[in-house]
């Protein structure tokens, strides 16, 4: 009796993980890429992806393709990603963007200040000036 109970409990627990949604997200150059699947061979096809800020305001809603993948422009630097797989299957991820949105790129300070550019040009002119002075023909 106890063995039968353990076997039934084990089988029911293993089937619960078969319907768990796995959610992966990353961003590059202002775009967010999302991939979701139930198991390796079962992508989350046509699942709804919801992007919300932390006050639960909807930023975007879109769907995955037949491979469980989707992409969109980054709506904000920090937000929640929720994948709804139907029949109560859902996965949520708090996401912080690694790249910048196009609006943020306009306001970022330059990585190369004008002083560094001027110093680099001065070093180049000095180097080639020294080569010219060394290689000049001797005067008699």
């Amino acid at each position: 009796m106890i063995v039968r109970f353990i076997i039934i409990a084990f089988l029911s627990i293993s089937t619960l993980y078969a319907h768990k949604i796995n959610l992966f997200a990353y961003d590059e150059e202002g775009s967010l890429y999302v991939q979701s699947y139930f198991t390796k061979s079962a992508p989350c096809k046509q699942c709804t992806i919801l992007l919300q800020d932390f006050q639960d305001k909807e930023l975007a809603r879109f769907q995955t393709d037949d491979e469980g993948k989707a992409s969109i422009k980054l709506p904000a630097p920090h937000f929640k990603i929720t994948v709804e797989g139907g029949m109560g299957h859902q996965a949520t991820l708090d996401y912080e963007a690694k790249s910048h949105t196009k609006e943020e790129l306009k306001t970022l300070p330059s990585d190369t200040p004008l002083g560094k550019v001027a110093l680099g040009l001065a070093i180049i002119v000095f180097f080639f000036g020294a080569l010219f002075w060394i290689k000049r023909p001797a005067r008699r």
Side-chain angles (χ1 to χ4, degrees), residues 16-27:
L16 290 176
Y17 285 110
H19 294 289
K20 176 183 176 245
I21 294 180
N22 295 297
L23 169 61
F24 296 98
Y26 66 96
D27 60 281

Side-chain angles (χ1 to χ4, degrees), residues 33-53:
Y33 299 92
V34 180
Q35 181 176 3
S36 60
Y37 61 88
F38 295 105
T39 63
K40 283 236 182 235
S41 61
C44 192
K45 298 178 183 180
Q46 302 303 317
C47 293
T48 301
I49 299 176
L50 177 64
L51 305 182
Q52 296 175 308
D53 63 9

